[in-house]
Amino acid sequence: MAEKKALVVEDDGNIAELLRLYLEKDGFEVAHASDGAEGIARFCDFAPDIVLLDIMLPIMDGWAVLRRIRKLSSTPVIMLTAKSETPDKVSGLEMGADDYVTKPFEIKELLARIHAVLRRTDEPSEQSAGRRLNYDKLVVDLDSYELIVDGTRIDTPPKEMELLYHLAAAPNRVFTRNQLLDEVWGFDYFGDSRTVDVHVKRLREKLEGVSPKWSLKTVWGVGYKFELTEG
């Protein structure tokens, strides 16, 4: 099996070296960038399978790097951040980050999260058939990460796509917020339920009123479901 490639975008040399050592020991080919602009350049020429991205970077911060990466690719990105920045977690996930790890982190936990994210992104290629859902005026295609609403392609962050696909693939089933955190974000994601609420709110802005035959419903006190309307 080909060696996986990890890009570490981190300006703290000690942390970057620690990550390189452990990732290489775990079988990864590793590239490093010490500022945001270099991170984007390395992303383009190295073509990593996963990116570990610090938020506080010289030249261009991690948010700007994440936005640029998301314009180019759906490659998994795990944000690395100091404890004081954790209130920014929801905005990072909204922008398309796949996970969020707070410094100082346990290297074993970080490696487990990396493998969990890669497992989720590898699974589609193994079972690519049938990952396209069609409803009235709605197409959710998780192979191409395309959302088509009333004939128009709508730019949608990867996590929103995955959440909508997860709900729409089991119509009328109610999912709790914790189930969605676990099944969509994975690895017993340590975020709070507001993460799910924010993503549902964003999806509703794109989908509200498009068709009378389906809707994203809140089940008060429980969670959410993709509801099909009879007839």
Side-chain angles (χ1 to χ4, degrees), residues 21-208:
L21 287 170
Y22 277 98
L23 285 165
E24 287 181 350
K25 186 179 175 184
D26 203 45
F28 286 86
E29 181 185 347
V30 182
H32 171 239
S34 55
D35 65 60
E38 185 190 0
I40 291 165
R42 293 296 279 138
F43 179 83
C44 293
D45 64 38
F46 184 60
D49 296 290
I50 193 161
V51 180
L52 304 181
L53 178 60
D54 188 28
I55 291 177
M56 299 301 289
L57 291 167
I59 301 180
M60 182 184 291
D61 69 17
W63 303 127
V65 175
L66 176 61
R67 277 193 292 271
R68 191 73 63 86
I69 286 173
R70 280 293 165 258
K71 286 181 180 175
L72 301 169
S73 166
S74 59
T75 298
V77 177
I78 296 179
M79 306 299 290
L80 307 176
T81 180
K83 264 205 162 95
S84 60
E85 296 151 2
T86 51
D88 293 329
K89 185 187 301 184
V90 169
S91 32
L93 294 167
E94 272 183 45
M95 287 162 54
D98 292 85
D99 206 346
Y100 202 105
V101 177
T102 304
K103 301 174 188 173
F105 47 76
E106 287 287 336
I107 197 73
K108 284 184 180 177
E109 181 193 333
L110 178 60
L111 289 172
R113 284 175 177 268
I114 289 169
H115 286 292
V117 167
L118 287 173
R119 270 197 308 276
R120 293 202 304 276
T121 53
D122 283 346
E123 279 165 9
S125 60
E126 293 165 11
Q127 37 176 288
S128 56
R131 287 168 45 85
R132 179 183 173 99
L133 301 173
N134 289 276
Y135 292 102
D136 182 51
K137 299 182 182 177
L138 176 69
V139 177
V140 186
D141 190 331
L142 211 55
D143 289 323
S144 60
Y145 274 79
E146 280 190 329
L147 176 64
I148 301 170
V149 179
D150 202 8
T152 302
R153 186 183 181 282
I154 307 292
D155 285 336
T156 306
K159 267 293 165 281
E160 282 182 31
M161 283 291 303
E162 290 165 20
L163 176 60
L164 178 58
Y165 182 89
H166 198 77
L167 289 165
N172 298 322
R173 177 185 164 188
V174 179
F175 292 87
T176 68
R177 290 170 177 81
N178 284 339
Q179 279 177 320
L180 292 168
L181 284 171
D182 187 35
E183 293 167 15
V184 177
W185 278 263
F187 190 61
D188 295 326
Y189 176 71
F190 295 127
D192 59 45
S193 62
R194 198 162 64 102
T195 300
V196 177
D197 297 338
V198 167
H199 281 69
V200 170
K201 178 175 178 286
R202 290 296 179 105
L203 285 169
R204 280 189 173 138
E205 289 169 3
K206 298 175 172 76
L207 303 175
E208 204 77 70

